[in-house]
Amino acid sequence: PIPVCLVSHDSLQSHKVFNDAATKDEPMELIVPSAKFAFKILGSDIRSNFQKFGTIGMVQRIMVATALLYDHLSVNGVFVKDSPINIRSVVEILEEEAGVNRQRTKSKSTRLPPTVSPGSTDRASYQELMAQAQNLLNFLKYSNKHLRDPTTPKQVQQMFNNIV
């Protein structure tokens, strides 16, 4: 486990509310909406409302961090079918942002967003955003807890094996 997840896990367990059996899932109820909110922003037209690539990068990091936090705190992890966070969709969004073209003829990331012209200075920021999305894919691949569990579907494991 990574140090950030260990510290978060320890602080949540030492919290007085977390020790009550009736509210044991309360931290999960806080994590899941944050992940879904970030996913909704990146997976819809709301993304085009952001003028700065740094904001989009922050939302990407929030999405990955909440997915990993859920994976480390949940008994079954984020990779099982009944997980409230759809990890396949998270990976698809990050692959589109990173410019990884998988089984699609058109991908959002194969062309520059409408606000970026090929000669503009924002092109470098867009390239950085693509590199960050690739790094987040690798972070998601190597910093999880439950990916190799027997309860993880084979398709999900194969999807992560294809990430380079």
Side-chain angles (χ1 to χ4, degrees):
I2 56 176
V4 172
C5 288
L6 289 175
V7 170
S8 300
H9 183 265
D10 292 344
S11 67
L12 286 173
Q13 281 192 345
S14 66
H15 194 271
K16 65 178 181 175
V17 176
F18 194 72
N19 292 328
D20 184 13
T23 59
K24 198 165 181 95
D25 289 334
E26 187 174 318
M28 301 302 173
E29 293 173 6
L30 299 173
I31 293 169
V32 173
S34 299
K36 288 184 176 184
F37 181 71
F39 173 77
K40 179 73 172 172
I41 289 173
L42 294 173
S44 68
D45 292 335
I46 299 172
R47 182 192 183 281
S48 62
N49 293 339
F50 294 112
Q51 298 295 322
K52 297 185 179 184
F53 290 113
T55 307
I56 298 168
M58 180 190 65
V59 175
Q60 288 176 347
R61 292 188 300 272
I62 290 169
M63 182 176 65
V64 170
T66 52
L68 283 173
L69 193 57
Y70 184 87
D71 186 51
H72 282 265
L73 293 176
S74 172
V75 175
N76 296 326
V78 74
F79 300 103
V80 294
K81 276 189 177 179
D82 58 346
S83 170
I85 299 172
N86 186 345
I87 197 67
R88 289 182 188 190
S89 298
V90 169
V91 170
E92 286 175 6
I93 285 177
L94 288 173
E95 285 178 337
E96 287 177 1
E97 296 283 340
V100 177
N101 194 3
R102 197 189 278 207
Q103 298 178 356
R104 293 185 179 163
T105 56
K106 285 188 176 180
S107 176
K108 276 196 260 181
S109 60
T110 57
R111 59 194 185 287
L112 292 173
T115 58
V116 178
S117 63
S120 75
T121 57
D122 286 340
R123 185 178 178 97
S125 297
Y126 182 68
Q127 298 293 337
E128 291 172 7
L129 185 66
M130 289 175 65
Q132 176 182 305
Q134 183 64 45
N135 291 339
L136 287 172
L137 279 168
N138 287 323
F139 188 65
L140 194 57
K141 179 179 180 179
Y142 295 113
S143 299
N144 59 66
K145 183 177 180 182
H146 295 284
L147 181 61
R148 301 291 176 222
D149 286 357
T151 57
T152 302
K154 298 293 181 199
Q155 296 86 1
V156 173
Q157 289 181 358
Q158 185 62 36
M159 178 178 56
F160 276 90
N161 288 338
N162 291 336
I163 295 175
V164 252

